Amino acid sequence: MFGIVPKLQQYICAWNFWPAFMKKFMMSEKGPFTIFFWTPLAKWGISIANIGDMRKPVEQVNTLQQCVITLTGLLFTRWCFIIRPRVYNLVLCNFCMAQTGIYQLYRKHSQGKLFTR
Amino acid sequence: MASKVSGMFWTWVHSSTGPKTTHFWAPVCNWFFPIQALYDWNRDPAKISKEMQCVLVCYSSLFMRWALRISPQSYILFCMHLFNATLQGRLLIRRLTWESTQQKAIEDKPTN
């Protein structure tokens, strides 16, 4: 928006000690200075946060939120297979999201608290 | 006129990005995130997960930018993530405010 990131990218890539492969990665269209690098990581964050929440008591798990996470994960897993190009990282990411959501819902169900807020 | 509208509707229903395909339902289910945050407007702060709310705010903030950088741009996806970032952020602030009042109550408690 303000052109800060391209300037930062040029400044950092100009440093001499980067090996060639690192420079190529940093200058690429899907490199760490673009949004296309960080969005899959953010989606992985949802699965990681869900795994962290598995240690918490079941009363703190939000049933509706887990239902949404599961449904989104399942549908986007299917979506990732039908778009081109296929990005298997995103397939795995969405699949893990769905699995963690299903497990959280199972935890609530096994204690009979699936429908309690 | 009515038959033209009906024709357009059924063309859309049977299209490759219509309601018979995942291309339609996957973005629709994304809208359930902000709807869930609205449903949980008054959720007990003790039952809000700080980590999950942080992640959802970051996720939506990044995808707002992504929706404008993809080709073609998706303003509907941008709006959805804007609402989601705002509403999940509200739940996060609710939780953080509650934690700070809890902390204050512990500090103000007279020690024997």
Side-chain angles (χ1 to χ4, degrees):
Chain A
M1 201 158 69
F2 301 107
I4 297 172
V5 172
K7 284 183 187 146
L8 188 66
Q9 183 185 23
Q10 273 178 0
Y11 176 72
I12 291 176
C13 292
W15 295 350
N16 282 332
F17 68 80
W18 296 117
F21 75 91
M22 196 66 194
K23 244 187 195 170
K24 191 179 170 193
F25 167 64
M26 288 197 297
M27 293 296 290
S28 74
E29 278 181 349
K30 295 179 191 171
F33 290 98
T34 67
I35 196 69
F36 304 107
F37 180 81
W38 297 104
T39 41
L41 290 185
K43 222 160 188 190
W44 272 111
I46 295 180
S47 304
I48 293 166
N50 234 357
I51 291 168
D53 280 351
M54 287 176 189
R55 296 174 304 161
K56 293 185 181 168
V58 146
E59 293 77 20
Q60 289 197 12
V61 175
N62 189 341
T63 306
L64 188 59
Q65 193 172 67
Q66 296 303 324
C67 287
V68 172
I69 287 171
T70 307
L71 187 66
T72 310
L74 290 171
L75 280 174
F76 272 90
T77 307
R78 161 84 181 134
W79 181 78
C80 288
F81 274 113
I82 60 175
I83 56 163
R84 292 288 180 274
R86 272 186 199 166
V87 181
Y88 289 103
N89 177 28
L90 221 50
V91 170
L92 196 61
C93 171
N94 284 302
F95 186 69
C96 284
M97 241 174 87
Q99 292 307 305
T100 55
I102 287 169
Y103 183 68
Q104 289 280 52
L105 289 172
Y106 168 74
R107 273 181 75 212
K108 280 213 102 165
H109 171 69
S110 64
Q111 294 199 19
K113 292 180 180 169
L114 191 59
F115 297 109
T116 54
R117 281 194 79 177
Chain B
M1 175 70 182
S3 63
K4 193 176 176 187
V5 170
S6 166
M8 280 168 62
F9 172 74
W10 286 110
T11 308
W12 170 71
V13 166
H14 297 302
S15 73
S16 60
T17 54
K20 287 161 73 174
T21 66
T22 314
H23 286 293
F24 177 79
W25 291 108
V28 162
C29 77
N30 249 347
W31 275 95
F32 293 148
F33 273 116
I35 290 169
Q36 171 263 316
L38 280 174
Y39 178 78
D40 284 331
W41 189 265
N42 283 325
R43 188 171 174 85
D44 179 10
K47 294 184 183 176
I48 294 175
S49 167
K50 191 169 56 176
E51 293 81 12
M52 181 57 87
Q53 296 309 128
C54 283
V55 163
L56 286 171
V57 169
C58 292
Y59 159 77
S60 275
S61 308
L62 289 172
F63 270 84
M64 269 163 61
R65 168 82 179 146
W66 183 83
L68 295 179
R69 287 286 280 124
I70 53 170
S71 179
Q73 289 178 329
S74 174
Y75 293 108
I76 296 177
L77 199 65
F78 173 79
C79 285
M80 176 253 142
H81 283 297
L82 178 64
F83 289 147
N84 197 33
T86 315
L87 293 168
Q88 302 287 358
R90 183 191 167 272
L91 288 177
L92 176 64
I93 289 168
R94 217 173 131 74
R95 167 76 187 198
L96 292 174
T97 313
W98 176 81
E99 279 186 2
S100 71
T101 52
Q102 292 291 105
Q103 186 64 27
K104 205 163 177 306
I106 291 167
E107 282 164 7
D108 290 346
K109 199 173 173 184
T111 52
N112 292 325

